[in-house]
Amino acid sequence: MKILITVLMIIFFPFLISGMIRRVKSVWGGRKGPSLIQPFFDFSRLMKKSEVISRTVSPVFLIAPSASLAATICAAMLVPMAGKSAILSFNGDFIMFCYLLALGKFMLVVSAMDTGSSFEGMGSSREVTFSALAEPGFFIIMGSFAWISGCKSFESIFQAIYNSGPASGLLILLAIIGLFIMLLTEGGRLPVDDPETHLELTMIHEVMVLDNSGPDLGFILYGAALKVFLIASLIASLATPTGIGFVPGLIIFTAVVTAEAVFIGFLESVMARMRMTHIPQFVFMITALAIIIFFIVMMELGKAL
Amino acid sequence: MSWAVTSNNQTIDLAVIPVKTPAELRTEIIEQSQRGARPVAFFGQKLSSGVRLFVIMANDPRSELMASSAIFAESERSYQAISNEIPAFQLFEREFFEETGIKPEGHPWLKPVRFSHSRADQSARMADYPFFRVEGESVHEVAVGPVHAGVIEPGHFRFMCSGEKVHHLEIQLGYQHRGIEPMMADGNIWKKHKLVESITGDSAIANSLAYSSLLESAAGIEVSARATAIRTLALELERVALHMSSLGGLCADVGDLTGNTFFGATRTYVINALLDICGSRFGCGLIRPGGVNFNVDAELSAKLLKTLEMVRNRVFIIGERTFNMPGVLSRFQHTGIVDAKTAEKINMVGITARASGLKRDIRADHPFGFYRLYPAYKLTLDSGDVFARAYMRYLEAKRSLGYLIDLLSGLPPGTELITDRGSLKPDSMTVSMVEGPRGELVHVMLSGANGEVVRYKLKDPSFNNWFALALAVRGEGVSDFPICNKSFDLSYCGYDL
């Protein structure tokens, strides 16, 4: 039952998050906005379409979108969701998670390079640069949490961190902020990337998929939305208290993910996008927060020893 | 001084304009340029044998226009280029070369301008455009257009970048091949208003105003004060509308949803005000030679006043918010700088020139229409970056709204809106300049022995300013190009005549 609910969430929540962000922005801009499940309709419309494939591409371009989505779905199985339980859990799964996402990204990057378009090359270079800056932060956070809790998987770390010591509240708060910046970076949201823009020269994520169409484009869009949902889920799981049972956990989880979507929509309404050269500083904040977490953990462990 | 002196909206006899040899004219142009005059028109007229080159230069502080000419005999196929001494002529000389085939020798950048149907070298093809090339290991080219992702006009942009940094941008326009100038000189000039309104869709009023003023002065028609006031009203409304749309676009390009939405919505009030006046949101059909087609009666005037007061409020609120937002400022400031020296060198005009510190505004320098009675003052900023161009639009929109509100509260009385046409003065030249939303529009007409039109020359402000955009993005990140582009907000069709 738990697994079934988790699977349903993995299928539908990404569309809902996109829908909610769009709706918040529409309402802020004085418009009514599309339906919350419009992204799902878009996805099913794309599934029915045929594909236009450039004559210059190699088979890499053809398999990349499916491979990328497959990697992201595998990563989804490792993420603790409602009640802090994941479909799969094993020691070191957070490392697996990070590199599954990286594999998905790698597939998209090589397929973008495969088209030979200068735009897509530019987008790939930006994408890889910014996510490489986000990665160390994630590992320092997870590593510090693993150290203080003595556990080695997402599920167990997230359960143990809640009662890990006097500073656990502070640790969770810092980690949530760090993960939220990672969400904005990896999800391609403002102020890192502007998902609404039509200007190829400023794009990061969108410009990489200019040549994709039909079901492949649908996979990419769903994969990107799923990635946002996965990082949002990490935040929601961290925010959920340990040992409150599945149903209350599910309610809190849903509420937190919804709040995140609304907050992203709000941020995108009131913020301007950063200059490309300032983005690395912003992304590097994740690492800065992670290092603070690391020091707090060190101090706490030093006290216990 | 051997130049024929005239002024905005004045007709002079062709016989008054001196005829020089190309070499003499070149020396005089350089002399005048060194005294501070700038070119506003430079074009050839084909004679039965050979070509007559007309040059019109503006002396802004004295509100004077100076005209001179030179005749190229059939056998003379080249002259020494002026652009090496005075870069302001570079595009004019290229245009002259494209139209007549007379080569400016030693021109540093002799490239096609717009591939018009009437070009001298019919074998020139767009595909053979001689792009500037940058070589090097880390250099890569990014080509954008001519078909763009947004609903905009065709234009090809080629960036020579190293990494994210732009070394050089080459802009190739000329995809539209409209042939407006020959069409203007062909047939009844009094019936060209539809054509004139379509030269640049978002400057329909400015263009029809220049065209109408030109015909009125060539035919000696007086326009009533009320009609003049209504024309000025429309021109300022057009200016506010375009500034709102540029500001909205700038906000959109930095991902500022609020600014984009509210500037866009405010623009709608402004163009709807034009709809109330003449039934067209772009002011088509309002201005005709001899006057205006529609009146602004007391009831409409009160309604417009109310709308404009509201618009002024909205512009103030959203403008103060936008220009106080750190996120927006960090994108705008120090991006895409064109300094005053460069701006003067390449002969920039209009609002973008004023943002670089050049004091050029036809409304004040060569006043026309209602600005002669109720002057408009020049505003300038110094920094020449995207911020200056954007802030300039905000300042000008506020200033224009103030002007409009004053104008509406005291519209000159009278019932006469449009007067009868006359006949054009034979063998004459008329120059009409209007400060449109983007800058100076120049219309020049030469009439023949029977008062027929033999040449109609147009110059849109975008003609001067596209080159400035290419200079502005040098050394910038390629991702900042869209906001640089939007801050200039130039017209493709104004260039592709």
Side-chain angles (χ1 to χ4, degrees):
Chain A
M1 186 64 195
K2 279 182 190 178
I3 289 179
L4 185 67
I5 289 175
T6 312
V7 169
L8 286 177
M9 281 199 296
I10 290 174
I11 295 173
F12 292 106
F13 240 123
F15 297 118
L16 277 174
I17 291 181
S18 307
M20 281 189 284
I21 296 175
R22 263 196 234 175
R23 175 62 76 83
V24 171
K25 289 172 77 170
S26 306
V27 170
W28 183 274
R31 287 173 283 127
K32 212 176 133 196
S35 136
L36 284 180
I37 49 172
Q38 184 61 40
F40 182 71
F41 295 141
D42 291 344
F43 178 75
S44 37
R45 174 174 53 83
L46 285 171
M47 285 301 123
K48 286 177 216 145
K49 289 199 166 191
S50 65
E51 283 175 27
V52 181
I53 293 161
S54 158
R55 264 164 297 166
T56 61
V57 296
S58 72
V60 171
F61 181 81
L62 304 179
I63 58 161
S66 324
S68 168
L69 179 62
T72 315
I73 289 177
C74 292
M77 295 203 279
L78 308 175
V79 174
M81 292 187 187
K84 302 197 181 199
S85 63
I87 298 176
L88 276 177
S89 179
F90 49 85
N91 282 350
D93 57 1
F94 59 89
I95 297 171
M96 181 85 175
F97 166 79
C98 196
Y99 285 110
L100 277 171
L101 287 188
L103 174 65
K105 195 189 310 278
F106 172 77
M107 291 315 292
L108 286 186
V109 167
V110 289
S111 101
M113 305 285 277
D114 192 30
T115 61
S117 144
S118 51
F119 286 138
E120 301 198 23
M122 223 159 55
S124 310
S125 125
R126 291 170 184 167
E127 168 95 11
V128 172
T129 310
F130 298 143
S131 63
L133 290 174
E135 203 180 277
F138 177 77
F139 277 122
I140 298 175
I141 293 176
M142 290 314 296
S144 311
F145 278 13
W147 193 17
I148 194 167
S149 61
C151 306
K152 293 185 191 73
S153 73
F154 261 140
E155 245 189 56
S156 52
I157 292 173
F158 278 25
Q159 262 155 17
I161 195 72
Y162 208 76
N163 301 314
S164 66
S168 69
L170 180 61
L171 286 178
I172 289 171
L173 183 69
L174 290 173
I176 285 177
I177 299 172
L179 286 173
F180 190 72
I181 298 172
M182 185 169 154
L183 167 60
L184 298 179
T185 313
E186 294 283 323
R189 314 301 313 191
L190 280 176
V192 177
D193 192 4
D194 182 2
E196 310 282 323
T197 187
H198 63 267
L199 305 161
E200 308 96 325
L201 292 172
T202 69
M203 290 176 178
I204 300 177
H205 289 69
E206 271 71 22
V207 76
M208 288 168 56
V209 301
L210 284 180
D211 274 67
N212 293 95
S213 56
D216 273 357
L217 182 61
F219 286 169
I220 292 169
L221 292 180
Y222 171 62
L226 180 58
K227 206 150 84 174
V228 171
F229 171 62
L230 294 185
I231 304 173
S233 306
L234 291 181
I235 296 174
S237 299
L238 266 181
T240 314
T242 300
I244 52 166
F246 184 72
V247 177
L250 181 65
I251 294 168
I252 292 177
F253 178 83
T254 313
V256 174
V257 171
T258 309
E260 283 175 71
V262 172
F263 187 60
I264 294 171
F266 170 73
L267 272 186
E268 295 204 347
S269 305
V270 300
M271 267 185 107
R273 191 180 165 198
M274 277 182 185
R275 199 184 273 251
M276 199 66 83
T277 46
H278 292 175
I279 294 174
Q281 296 168 17
F282 177 75
V283 178
F284 222 66
M285 270 169 63
I286 308 171
T287 312
L289 287 165
I291 290 173
I292 297 175
I293 291 176
F294 177 71
F295 280 127
I296 295 174
V297 168
M298 253 174 60
M299 276 155 61
E300 282 210 5
L301 289 181
K303 220 187 297 174
L305 279 170
Chain B
M1 198 164 66
S2 56
W3 289 70
V5 177
T6 174
S7 60
N8 195 7
N9 295 320
Q10 282 236 321
T11 305
I12 54 167
D13 284 328
L14 275 181
V16 179
I17 301 173
V19 183
K20 306 283 169 69
T21 66
E24 280 168 8
L25 185 64
R26 178 177 185 277
T27 320
E28 286 189 5
I29 286 174
I30 293 171
E31 230 169 70
Q32 284 297 346
S33 303
Q34 282 159 354
R35 282 191 212 143
R38 64 191 178 87
V40 292
F42 184 96
F43 59 96
Q45 185 213 348
K46 291 191 176 86
L47 305 174
S48 48
S49 94
V51 171
R52 185 169 178 188
L53 164 67
F54 285 88
V55 184
I56 301 164
M57 298 189 75
N59 186 335
D60 292 334
R62 298 173 62 164
S63 304
E64 277 177 0
L65 295 173
M66 294 171 302
S68 189
S69 71
I71 290 195
F72 290 82
E74 197 74 61
S75 56
E76 272 181 285
R77 301 307 293 164
S78 68
Y79 68 102
Q80 208 191 336
I82 305 164
S83 310
N84 286 320
E85 276 84 6
I86 314 294
F89 280 89
Q90 62 94 11
L91 194 53
F92 287 112
E93 291 199 299
R94 281 162 60 186
E95 189 191 25
F96 179 68
F97 173 59
E98 190 174 69
E99 293 293 319
T100 63
I102 298 175
K103 193 175 181 188
E105 291 294 347
H107 191 291
W109 200 250
L110 195 57
K111 299 190 177 200
V113 178
R114 62 171 76 94
F115 297 93
S116 54
H117 293 303
S118 54
R119 62 186 182 272
D121 180 11
Q122 290 288 338
S123 66
R125 289 277 169 272
M126 294 206 76
D128 305 329
Y129 188 90
F131 282 102
F132 185 74
R133 292 191 68 87
V134 178
E135 307 268 327
E137 202 165 303
S138 66
V139 174
H140 64 111
E141 282 188 359
V142 182
V144 190
V147 180
H148 295 274
V151 185
I152 56 169
E153 293 180 74
H156 179 78
F157 299 86
R158 197 171 285 195
F159 299 87
M160 288 75 183
C161 311
S162 102
E164 293 270 342
K165 194 172 156 191
V166 180
H167 278 307
H168 178 68
L169 161 64
E170 183 123 14
I171 303 169
Q172 183 197 9
L173 300 174
Y175 285 90
Q176 304 187 41
H177 315 286
R178 299 190 298 162
I180 287 186
E181 284 178 8
M183 277 197 275
M184 286 300 291
D186 178 30
N188 186 352
I189 186 70
W190 297 94
K191 292 193 171 161
K192 298 292 182 191
H193 41 261
K194 286 275 180 235
L195 181 63
V196 167
E197 281 167 350
S198 62
I199 294 171
T200 317
D202 53 14
S203 306
I205 292 169
N207 269 307
S208 59
L209 180 55
Y211 156 81
S212 302
S213 315
L214 187 142
L215 290 188
E216 284 148 12
S217 84
I221 302 170
E222 280 292 324
V223 180
S224 69
R226 190 167 181 88
T228 310
I230 292 172
R231 286 173 166 192
T232 308
L233 179 83
L235 182 64
E236 291 299 328
L237 280 173
E238 184 175 75
R239 192 184 316 282
V240 177
L242 193 75
H243 289 351
M244 291 297 104
S245 107
S246 307
L247 286 170
L250 271 168
C251 289
D253 289 359
V254 297
D256 175 21
L257 176 81
T258 316
N260 178 23
T261 313
F262 284 82
F263 277 122
T266 311
R267 170 175 176 267
T268 307
Y269 288 109
V270 181
I271 55 177
N272 281 355
L274 276 168
L275 181 76
D276 285 340
I277 297 174
C278 66
S280 156
R281 304 216 291 176
F282 296 97
C284 293
L286 175 62
I287 300 175
R288 286 289 174 267
V292 290
N293 272 343
F294 297 89
N295 192 13
V296 176
D297 57 20
E299 193 191 335
L300 179 56
S301 169
K303 187 183 169 193
L304 289 179
L305 255 179
K306 222 172 116 189
T307 313
L308 292 176
E309 293 279 7
M310 183 263 284
V311 167
R312 181 154 74 167
N313 245 333
R314 286 180 70 114
V315 170
F316 178 76
I317 292 167
I318 188 67
E320 289 303 313
R321 171 211 157 268
T322 305
F323 291 108
N324 281 310
M325 229 171 100
V328 170
L329 289 183
S330 101
R331 294 297 304 276
F332 286 0
Q333 286 176 335
H334 313 298
T335 305
I337 297 174
V338 181
D339 59 32
K341 221 171 131 190
T342 313
E344 179 146 30
K345 227 181 196 176
I346 60 171
N347 195 23
M348 276 172 77
V349 295
I351 186 160
T352 44
R354 294 196 284 281
S356 292
L358 284 196
K359 296 185 178 62
R360 286 180 183 175
D361 189 335
I362 303 297
R363 290 174 293 173
D365 293 331
H366 304 272
F368 54 93
F370 214 70
Y371 303 110
R372 290 154 60 140
L373 309 173
Y374 180 47
Y377 299 101
K378 279 184 253 190
L379 291 167
T380 56
L381 292 171
D382 291 326
S383 57
D385 51 4
V386 171
F387 170 78
R389 289 186 283 275
Y391 200 64
M392 197 69 208
R393 286 175 201 280
Y394 170 53
L395 291 180
E396 268 206 19
K398 282 201 296 187
R399 188 63 77 85
S400 291
L401 285 163
Y403 191 94
L404 280 166
I405 287 164
D406 287 355
L407 188 65
L408 273 171
S409 355
L411 273 183
T415 48
E416 194 190 310
L417 291 176
I418 192 153
T419 44
D420 289 336
R421 297 165 185 173
S423 52
L424 302 181
K425 192 175 175 193
D427 280 325
S428 65
M429 181 179 85
T430 318
V431 186
S432 177
M433 298 200 291
V434 164
E435 183 73 21
R438 293 189 178 88
E440 65 178 41
L441 289 150
V442 183
H443 287 217
V444 185
M445 186 179 70
L446 303 178
S447 66
N450 305 315
E452 79 281 13
V453 180
V454 294
R455 182 82 164 95
Y456 199 101
K457 178 73 204 146
L458 296 160
K459 188 192 71 64
D460 190 88
S462 304
F463 184 78
N464 302 63
N465 291 350
W466 274 110
F467 197 63
L469 171 61
L471 295 183
V473 297
R474 282 194 181 169
E476 294 291 338
V478 66
S479 63
D480 280 331
F481 169 72
I483 57 167
C484 290
N485 184 26
K486 199 72 206 173
S487 73
F488 282 91
D489 203 11
L490 298 172
S491 164
Y492 297 69
C493 53
Y495 187 96
D496 291 352
L497 292 170

